[in-house]
Amino acid sequence: MSPGKGAKYGLRGLKSDTIKSMIFSKWKRWTALGIVLIIISLLGVILIRKRVTVLANGDARIVKTNALTTKDLLRKEGVSVGEHDALTPALDHWLREGDQVSIQRARQIQIRVDGEIHSLLTAERLPVVLLAEAGIGINPDDELLADGVAIELDEPLSPAAAHSLQVRRATTVNVVDGSQTFTFVSTASTLGQALWDEGISLYNGDSLTPRPSTPLQGGEIQARLERSRELIIHLQEKSIKTRSTGKSIGAALSEAGVGLQGLDYSIPAEGEPLPKDGEIQVVRVREQIILEQEPLPFETIQQALPEVEIDNVQVVQAGEYGLTARRVRVVYEARPESEGWDEMERQLENEWVARQPQPRINGYGTKIAAQSINSADGPIEYWRAVDVYASTYSPCHSGGDKCYPNTSSGKPVVKGVIAV
């Protein structure tokens, strides 16, 4: 076949085996090329880093990662997801540039309602959904509190570790105030708070039945309000204006928080009815036990010391004062017109010797010890030496009418004898 003719006929002139061989060869080349391209694409996906925002409980941070899926990203970042946590997108989501991975941690939710506590562990933040999950219904007049603060049903909770929800049931309050009757609906926690919210003022001395601290738990409540009288209670440090429905002075003082204790008394007396002028004086009385002390003198004793040489002294015992104690009860009063505490009475209750005095003991030596001294006449032995004032002495010139050879003690005047 000539070249021109072969080109004209193309593959028609080739044998079937040759054609199959050529097609298979081309297919292998394209298949290999495709596999290489796929591998290159996968490597590109793996190696190309992307920016992803990780949002956990409101805290956002941007990370650069080559993770393929959400699960890979969390594993690489060391972030764990609990069973009750909310994760968006899912773990098998393939990440792309600019994706946001949000983790809403589950938190402990306590719901207080109708005297019961419901506990939930959930990542849900909407109160309306939380109440539905707990199977709690809420009426239009009821009030919802989150951590003690009023909140709307569709207001999301903050991303805190735990929350406490409280449903306050609406209560219908009927109040009889003298000749008037008030009826209103309140979600206050106590009767007193409900009256305050309604603009019904309570003075300190007013009497409310039941008490202002009575809790409101839904339903209906009946209350009676008895208005008080105005009083002025005079104390030493101040005067208190108050009101009271009490029938006696003592009851009025107790309602005002000015109780009489111990020896305190009031003018008028606490058992008398409230005075017409509304003036009450309170006299405070206190007792004080005073311990008075007075020293007891000690005596001095002379004591012979046989081991100490004569004419030597030493203190054997220094001596110590004793102590007399007295217990005295003193009564003081503080009146409204006085500036301080006035002493009203002083009484001796007991007196005793708290410590006996210790005598002073002066010791003097009695031991005779022979000693010697050199003199012009030779050594002299002696056992006592004293300092004296000596005077001249002459038996025949002593001022008398005759000679006196002896001293007044009867000893003759010889060498070694002196008059002192």
Side-chain angles (χ1 to χ4, degrees), residues 116-139:
E116 298 181 353
I117 299 178
H118 302 262
S119 296
L120 299 176
L121 181 61
T122 176
E124 182 57 53
R125 296 178 58 191
L126 287 177
V128 63
V129 179
L130 292 170
L131 293 176
E133 290 182 2
I136 299 172
I138 187 168
N139 299 318

Side-chain angles (χ1 to χ4, degrees), residues 7 27 106 140 161 165 177 186 205 249 253 303 366 392 399 408:
W27 178 83
L165 297 180
D177 184 0
S186 176
I249 299 291
L253 293 176
Q303 178 178 318
T366 59
T392 59
S408 61

Side-chain angles (χ1 to χ4, degrees), residues 32-45:
L33 180 60
I35 293 173
V36 171
L37 291 175
I38 291 173
I39 294 174
I40 292 174
S41 299
L42 291 175
L43 289 174
V45 172

Side-chain angles (χ1 to χ4, degrees), residues 15 37 49-50 68 82 87 90-91 99 128 149 152 199 231 241 338 359 367 397-398 406:
K15 292 183 179 180
L37 291 175
R49 298 172 67 82
K50 59 188 75 68
L68 298 179
L87 174 66
L91 290 173
D99 275 355
V128 63
V149 180
E152 299 295 333
L231 300 172
K241 290 185 177 182
S338 64
K367 181 180 180 179
H397 297 83
S398 59
N406 298 330

